[in-house]
Amino acid sequence: MTSGTLSVLIKRNQQLAKDSVVAKELGAIVLQALNANEMFFSAALPSFVMPLQFNRYENSMDLGNHIDNAVQGIFGTQERIRADLSATVFFAEPEGRADD
C-alpha cells in the first residue's frame, strides 16, 4: 500500500500498519530520539515529520533499487506533502548487504 506503481513490482517485505498500536508506540520512541538529536534537526530542518513506516525484512526479502516518492499522502487525510528527506533506521545490523 505504500509503494508507487513502479516500486510495487520490487518491494518484498512486511510492513506494520501505520495505525497499529505497535507502529504508533515505536514511532513515538524514534521521534523522541530524533527530537533530542541536535545534529538531525540542524541538518534536516523538518517542518513536518510524516508518520514513520516500520518494515521487516527476512530471508530473501528486500526493497530493491528504488527512488522514494517525492510527494507523499499524509496517512488518514486527503492531504499530500513534498517529502524532501527520507532515512532508514536499522533496529538490527543488516547482514548480507551488497555494499558490505
Side-chain angles (χ1 to χ4, degrees), residues 8-30:
V8 72
L9 302 174
I10 61 168
K11 185 175 183 177
R12 294 177 299 275
N13 66 359
Q14 297 172 328
Q15 190 169 52
L16 282 176
K18 288 184 181 183
D19 60 350
S20 74
V21 173
V22 173
K24 290 177 182 179
E25 290 174 353
L26 290 173
I29 292 168
V30 173

Side-chain angles (χ1 to χ4, degrees), residues 1-76:
M1 293 182 67
T2 59
S3 295
T5 56
L6 295 176
S7 62
V8 72
L9 302 174
I10 61 168
K11 185 175 183 177
R12 294 177 299 275
N13 66 359
Q14 297 172 328
Q15 190 169 52
L16 282 176
K18 288 184 181 183
D19 60 350
S20 74
V21 173
V22 173
K24 290 177 182 179
E25 290 174 353
L26 290 173
I29 292 168
V30 173
L31 286 177
Q32 183 178 10
L34 289 175
N35 285 331
N37 188 305
E38 292 179 21
M39 185 176 290
F40 169 77
F41 269 89
S42 66
L45 299 173
S47 61
F48 179 79
V49 177
M50 300 279 289
L52 305 181
Q53 298 180 128
F54 293 92
N55 302 308
R56 178 180 169 185
Y57 298 89
E58 60 181 35
N59 301 325
S60 62
M61 293 180 178
D62 64 30
L63 186 49
N65 293 330
H66 70 285
I67 298 172
D68 289 341
N69 295 333
V71 178
Q72 303 260 336
I74 298 176
F75 182 73

Side-chain angles (χ1 to χ4, degrees), residues 80-100:
R80 297 174 62 76
I81 189 169
R82 183 174 168 89
D84 293 318
L85 175 68
S86 63
T88 300
V89 177
F90 292 97
F91 289 107
E93 185 67 29
E95 296 179 21
R97 291 181 37 188
D99 58 350
D100 283 346

